[in-house]
Amino acid sequence: MLQACLNGARSPREHHHLPVHPEQLAAAAAACTAAGATELHLHPKYPDGTDSVDPHVLAAALLAVRAAAPGVPVGVTTGAWTAPNPRDRITAIRGWTVLPDRAAVNWHEPGADDIARALLERGIAVEAGLRSGTDGPAHFRNAPAREQVLRILAEITDPTARGAATTARAHLTQIGPTRTPILLHGEAAGAWPVLALAAREGHDVRIGLEDTLQLPDGDIAPDNASLVTAALALIAQR
């Protein structure tokens, strides 16, 4: 499984083709699925590029993306930066009128168990975000929803090409044995060695402007679809 992560918590100032508005997300989704992505992950945003879980913002993004990439599963974020108080995020989730297929919950953030419960109550699959260098894995081991999540997002925060794969192996050890599928991904220069490691070890992978702005050769990627194409070429070599 190759998930395209279209924008993340980035500002449009960081990349000239970072999709923010619904029509931009739709175009990116269509291009990425045409390039070979099988899932999509996006951060619905206000017009200024700020991430949001607001029902109206989320609905506009999901409707546009699903029209452009029909049948492709779409996930969103519930990160603390979208609304610092977990109760506000739960209220938003309960008010969603258009539902994503899945949503990522960061287990190092306060309120993760309650947010996961709110999602599951609405029939939305949960991706458990376990970030390296945090206590997320420890909290998740005791989570009521640990047997109900769709997958674990093993997120490697080491941004270096030299060290990210080593950090990833250590993080997988910290997560421990699990029957839950793992999507392993890195960021910045570390995105590509972590993707290569994930492909070798049979984990799900993702790539997109959320994780890195660079192609494997270090050049700036023109758009999300070019990153998907590069990822599939790298996977084919494994």
Side-chain angles (χ1 to χ4, degrees):
M1 190 278 291
L2 173 60
Q3 182 184 90
C5 48
L6 301 181
N7 52 5
R10 291 189 184 274
S11 160
R13 292 186 296 273
E14 295 181 62
H15 192 281
H16 62 292
H17 274 167
L18 186 85
V20 171
H21 307 295
E23 62 273 18
Q24 295 170 336
L25 288 165
C32 285
T33 53
T38 54
E39 287 192 12
L40 300 166
H41 174 79
L42 57 92
H43 292 204
K45 293 178 180 287
Y46 291 114
D48 66 356
T50 303
D51 287 4
S52 175
V53 288
D54 177 84
H56 299 292
V57 174
L58 184 132
L62 289 178
L63 290 172
V65 165
R66 285 185 171 142
V72 178
V74 183
V76 300
T77 184
T78 64
W81 59 90
T82 62
N85 190 325
R87 287 176 294 182
D88 292 338
R89 277 173 279 151
I90 290 169
T91 298
I93 290 165
R94 290 174 176 163
W96 287 351
T97 56
V98 179
L99 302 184
D101 299 288
R102 55 213 50 169
V105 178
N106 296 323
W107 247 269
H108 66 282
E109 296 175 351
D113 290 335
D114 294 334
I115 291 168
R117 184 184 307 113
L119 292 165
L120 292 169
E121 286 174 352
R122 300 221 59 194
I124 302 166
V126 172
E127 296 176 302
L130 305 184
R131 188 171 298 181
S132 66
T134 74
D135 55 6
H139 286 303
F140 183 68
R141 276 192 287 274
N142 299 314
R146 66 187 178 279
E147 300 296 335
Q148 298 173 266
V149 303
L150 174 70
R151 63 170 65 100
I152 291 170
L153 300 180
E155 303 173 335
I156 309 307
T157 57
D158 183 339
T160 66
R162 179 172 295 181
T166 299
T167 303
R169 292 188 186 95
H171 188 51
L172 291 172
T173 298
Q174 185 183 20
I175 292 171
T178 178
R179 293 175 294 179
T180 303
I182 292 176
L183 189 161
L184 178 64
H185 72 97
E187 63 181 35
W192 294 107
V194 171
L195 187 146
L197 173 65
R200 286 196 302 270
E201 298 198 354
H203 298 304
D204 292 335
V205 299
R206 82 175 199 182
I207 201 70
L209 293 175
E210 172 171 355
D211 288 347
T212 184
L213 304 180
Q214 294 179 298
L215 294 166
D217 63 5
D219 287 347
I220 297 298
D223 52 25
N224 277 293
S226 65
L227 292 168
V228 171
T229 299
L232 288 172
L234 190 154
I235 292 167
Q237 298 171 11
R238 301 296 153 183

